[in-house]
Amino acid sequence: MRWCLLFFTLTIAVFTGECASHSPLVIDGYPVANFAMTVNASEDGGFFKRVFQNPGTLGEWLKDRGSILFSIEKGKRQHSFSGFKEKKVERSFPFVKSAYGQSELITTQINTLSFCPLAVNDAETASLPVLLLELNCFNAGPQEDFEIKITPDSLARNAQAFKASGYSGIMASDFQLSSDAETVWKNGALSIKLSLKAKEHRRVRVMLAFYDDEWNAANRFRSVSEITDFGYRQWSALKASTELFSHAIPQIGDRELDHYLRWYMVPGISLTRYTKNGEVLTMGYAELNQRDSYWTSWLHLVLFKDLEKKMIEESIEQQQSSGKIPTTIFPLIERNDDIDINAFFVLRAVRYYQLYHNRKQLLSWWPSLKKAMDWLIARDTDGNGLPVQVSFWGDWKDVKGVEGRKYAPFSCLIYLAALKQMEVLAGECNDAESGNRYRLAYQKGFYFMNKPVAEGGLWNGHYYNQIWKNGEVNDKLLQDQAIGILFNVVPEKRALEIIASLNSISMTSYGIAETYPYYPASFGYAPGTYHNGGVWPWLSFMDCWARIRAGREKEAIDLVKKVAHADLVASGDWSPNEYINSSTGENMGYQLQGWNAGLFGLVYFGLLHRNMIP
């Protein structure tokens, strides 16, 4: 992946009420999200300690809009929502539902529901930049007067009070924070004064809306005021569509795995960008990279099929005359040496056809698919049947420590997978000539791949090795070769040998180390980190999916849970991180990594609908 990493600032000092608190806000996950917004709601009942906005500007990452904290005030005393003595918090993307009672200040009980709108195969709803919060209050005691205080930090700097028909709050040109109850803006806090009679129920709605000239919503709304107005008018419909989206998320009946899946879907949603100009991308870092996007977009394939089709066709439009699919698009980055980019593009189009069976569409894509495959075949510059890596950019393991590689198991196996599927597609397109060419290329590559190391091949008797340009054989065990098992281009007996080797050699307390034994620190990364043996959730889920296809379902599910527990639970950050230090268990790299959403593919196609995609 990339040599430079962005680390979130996970703590911020806050000022609440009459006393300053310099205790850090611990950010423990983002269970509320759509394409436009990503929001923390905490396990301790507090909300919203961090809000991110997805900007419509290509090349940018999520924009930190700070915190918006909620508290109860009565007289001159106040406490946050986490300060209720009784709390029941259910964080289950895309909703957070909480019940609060036993306050030191009030007898009123408050139930909350927060969400960002989503809808199946409805990109406009899923990209609506609003956060919706319902507070349902019930006063079981005598009449009670109190305030709900909303304290934004960075949003407060240029805010001014406003009042519209049916709601009021604060605003600037690019946001509105409002409520359908009467509000007062004073001393950096938005107050909602409530007076509840005995046994009275009262529902209060709060909305945060953003506006971005470059975001897709700008095609439908001219201002943030129009977005806010739409949100209040369509609140019930937006809630209903989000409920239907939630019901569409697959479940296998294993509560732990089903729970983890929802958390790992979040970055796939959060890192989907939909611009005013109509560009759609799932962000690997801030661009559409085929290798990242392939795993991220399993959920788009099912839940946003039109967007997945759009991303395939965008990639076709950006294809070079040589057949090369650019390293990334939106924005364009081209390294001209990544082998797996073309292979993942091919496999992405293949799975779309396998699921939706639109032959007319396939025929329109076929010339581009052939050009992409033929570019890969041309990388067999030594005539051995496998693509030769020229630089360290050859596949996902793009670090300078592997610059000397000639053949890497991952790129070679994904190449064979693409060839195998292209032969099938050639039959669907009545292109016998191309089908025969791909069949022969596959046979040649498969033969060389499986030759013993002593005879120049990659197989060492237990797993595939790396071959360096100088002829050196590197026998470190790489987890990424499980990709060949997933795509059924590894003989069954050898697949089981690879799995057994990973279990006996590379297993750590936190999952499989992607490289083992570790390289020395001179490799460029400390042992147990990044491409020197880190535990990568996306790679682990791919490996586990491969194990399911090899008949090792229980083992696979146990490994998913082991990695997810280390990544989400043991760390306490409840965020799908880029990788885990396999020696210490520390989460490292990007806190939200899109391709970890590949767990959706494992559950949906690996466990629930096993024969839907061959």
Side-chain angles (χ1 to χ4, degrees):
M1 299 303 297
R2 205 178 248 172
W3 61 94
C4 59
L5 299 176
L6 171 68
F7 292 86
F8 278 155
T9 302
L10 296 183
T11 60
I12 53 179
V14 296
F15 179 80
T16 55
E18 297 187 2
C19 60
S21 170
H22 296 287
S23 299
L25 289 181
V26 178
I27 309 302
D28 58 349
Y30 302 89
V32 177
N34 66 3
F35 297 164
M37 297 174 69
T38 301
V39 183
N40 166 261
S42 292
E43 195 170 26
D44 67 6
F47 53 91
F48 302 103
K49 296 178 183 177
R50 187 62 59 83
V51 177
F52 285 100
Q53 178 185 4
N54 194 349
T57 305
L58 296 178
E60 292 188 6
W61 211 71
L62 303 185
K63 184 178 181 180
D64 186 351
R65 302 306 300 264
S67 64
I68 302 173
L69 303 179
F70 286 69
S71 59
I72 300 296
E73 182 173 290
K74 186 174 183 179
K76 293 185 178 181
R77 300 174 61 199
Q78 79 175 65
H79 66 69
S80 69
F81 271 68
S82 62
F84 280 88
K85 292 181 179 179
E86 289 187 1
K87 300 183 292 289
K88 182 180 179 182
V89 180
E90 180 186 341
R91 304 193 300 166
S92 182
F93 169 78
F95 292 104
V96 173
K97 302 175 184 179
S98 302
Y100 301 89
Q102 292 296 310
S103 166
E104 294 179 350
L105 304 180
I106 61 174
T107 60
T108 297
Q109 300 171 348
I110 302 177
N111 294 335
T112 67
L113 175 72
S114 54
F115 66 100
C116 292
L118 287 162
V120 175
N121 205 36
D122 181 348
E124 278 66 37
T125 295
S127 61
L128 191 66
V130 295
L131 166 63
L132 306 179
L133 170 67
E134 296 179 358
L135 301 105
N136 293 289
C137 307
F138 173 64
N139 179 23
Q143 178 165 331
E144 185 164 56
D145 300 327
F146 63 95
E147 295 182 31
I148 296 174
K149 280 208 162 184
I150 309 171
T151 308
D153 59 359
S154 59
L155 291 179
R157 291 168 191 158
N158 299 310
Q160 294 183 341
F162 80 95
K163 191 168 186 177
S165 177
Y167 56 90
S168 62
I170 61 170
M171 68 175 293
S173 61
D174 65 343
F175 86 91
Q176 284 188 344
L177 175 61
S178 63
S179 174
D180 62 356
E182 184 176 347
T183 63
V184 175
W185 174 241
K186 186 177 180 181
N187 297 328
L190 190 66
S191 296
I192 300 172
K193 295 183 177 182
L194 296 178
S195 180
L196 301 180
K197 298 177 182 178
K199 308 298 182 183
E200 182 180 355
H201 289 267
R202 175 77 183 275
R203 183 187 66 189
V204 175
R205 288 173 167 174
V206 176
M207 184 190 307
L208 172 65
F210 288 131
Y211 192 82
D212 179 349
D213 289 335
E214 301 300 321
W215 188 250
N216 181 266
N219 290 322
R220 294 171 287 149
F221 305 101
R222 293 170 296 179
S223 68
V224 68
S225 297
E226 289 190 2
I227 293 175
T228 300
D229 185 66
F230 177 85
Y232 280 113
R233 286 189 291 104
Q234 298 297 320
W235 192 295
S236 296
L238 295 173
K239 181 178 175 181
S241 73
T242 308
E243 288 171 341
L244 291 173
F245 183 92
S246 182
H247 291 317
I249 296 173
Q251 299 182 72
I252 65 167
D254 182 319
R255 290 184 64 185
E256 186 180 4
L257 182 57
D258 290 341
H259 186 55
Y260 288 149
L261 172 60
R262 288 177 182 260
W263 283 102
Y264 279 108
M265 286 179 65
V266 169
I269 295 294
S270 297
L271 299 177
T272 298
R273 175 164 289 157
Y274 190 18
T275 73
K276 182 178 182 179
N277 293 331
E279 295 113 339
V280 176
L281 61 148
T282 61
M283 296 157 56
Y285 287 104
E287 313 87 11
L288 195 160
N289 179 308
Q290 299 295 329
R291 73 168 67 105
D292 301 65
S293 192
Y294 179 84
W295 303 105
T296 306
S297 62
W298 281 103
L299 68 87
H300 298 73
L301 179 66
V302 175
L303 299 176
F304 297 100
K305 67 175 184 177
D306 292 343
L307 293 190
E308 176 63 6
K309 175 176 173 284
K310 171 73 171 170
M311 286 187 278
I312 293 170
E313 293 180 342
E314 288 171 337
S315 302
I316 290 172
E317 291 171 4
Q318 298 287 328
Q319 187 175 32
Q320 294 184 14
S321 59
S322 65
K324 176 71 168 62
I325 300 297
T327 305
T328 75
I329 60 175
F330 304 142
L332 179 68
I333 299 174
E334 183 56 278
R335 298 193 176 109
N336 291 306
D337 187 37
D338 25 48
I339 297 166
D340 59 342
I341 295 296
N342 271 39
F344 277 121
F345 163 72
V346 167
L347 293 169
R348 187 174 195 169
V350 166
R351 72 182 183 187
Y352 196 93
Y353 176 72
Q354 289 173 334
L355 187 58
Y356 295 112
H357 306 288
N358 187 329
R359 187 170 181 271
K360 181 178 179 181
Q361 183 178 82
L362 173 63
L363 289 171
S364 71
W365 293 351
W366 185 237
S368 294
L369 290 170
K370 287 199 299 181
K371 286 173 62 179
M373 193 71 249
D374 291 346
W375 182 89
L376 276 172
I377 292 173
R379 294 299 299 268
D380 175 21
T381 53
D382 280 10
N384 290 321
L386 295 175
V388 172
Q389 184 169 316
V390 176
S391 73
F392 66 85
W393 294 114
D395 64 22
W396 85 283
K397 200 172 178 68
D398 49 4
V399 293
K400 291 185 177 180
V402 298
E403 189 160 15
R405 288 202 301 188
K406 182 177 182 180
Y407 297 121
F410 182 83
S411 55
C412 291
L413 290 166
I414 200 73
Y415 166 73
L416 293 177
L419 281 171
K420 189 172 186 177
Q421 295 299 333
M422 283 293 285
E423 181 188 354
V424 175
L425 286 194
E428 296 291 314
C429 295
N430 295 324
D431 188 346
E433 179 182 353
S434 295
N436 185 58
R437 184 167 75 256
Y438 300 142
R439 177 178 57 83
L440 293 175
Y442 175 82
Q443 291 174 348
K444 185 177 182 180
F446 181 86
Y447 171 76
F448 186 79
M449 184 86 196
N450 287 281
K451 285 175 62 177
V453 168
E455 298 176 18
L458 279 72
W459 183 252
N460 74 357
H462 300 285
Y463 53 88
Y464 295 107
N465 288 164
Q466 303 170 85
I467 307 298
W468 251 240
K469 295 170 188 173
N470 62 6
E472 175 188 342
V473 175
N474 182 306
D475 64 356
K476 293 188 184 297
L477 175 54
L478 302 182
Q479 184 187 20
D480 61 16
Q481 63 191 273
I483 194 124
I485 304 172
L486 178 61
F487 286 104
N488 195 28
V489 294
V490 174
E492 182 179 355
K493 186 176 180 180
R494 293 190 174 186
L496 297 178
E497 284 278 0
I498 292 168
I499 292 171
S501 297
L502 289 169
N503 289 344
S504 62
I505 297 172
S506 304
M507 184 68 75
T508 75
S509 299
Y510 315 104
I512 301 289
E514 62 81 30
T515 297
Y516 201 84
Y518 305 134
Y519 291 97
S522 59
F523 177 75
Y525 301 93
T529 69
Y530 204 46
H531 284 292
N532 194 10
V535 174
W536 293 67
W538 83 267
L539 188 63
S540 298
F541 302 153
M542 180 275 287
D543 176 356
C544 292
W545 194 350
R547 291 168 190 247
I548 291 168
R549 291 210 162 174
R552 310 282 282 269
E553 181 175 318
K554 183 181 183 306
E555 174 185 307
I557 292 175
D558 288 346
L559 183 53
V560 168
K561 292 178 179 179
K562 184 175 190 175
V563 173
H565 184 271
D567 184 21
L568 304 176
V569 184
S571 69
D573 72 3
W574 285 96
S575 293
N577 286 264
E578 187 167 18
Y579 71 96
I580 304 163
N581 185 316
S582 63
S583 297
T584 67
E586 178 187 0
N587 279 340
M588 305 187 76
Y590 273 64
Q591 192 192 12
L592 290 173
Q593 189 77 358
W595 56 355
N596 291 345
L599 183 60
F600 183 97
L602 181 155
V603 171
Y604 194 89
F605 294 104
L607 294 173
L608 291 177
H609 306 287
R610 298 173 189 246
N611 299 317
M612 192 173 288
I613 291 183

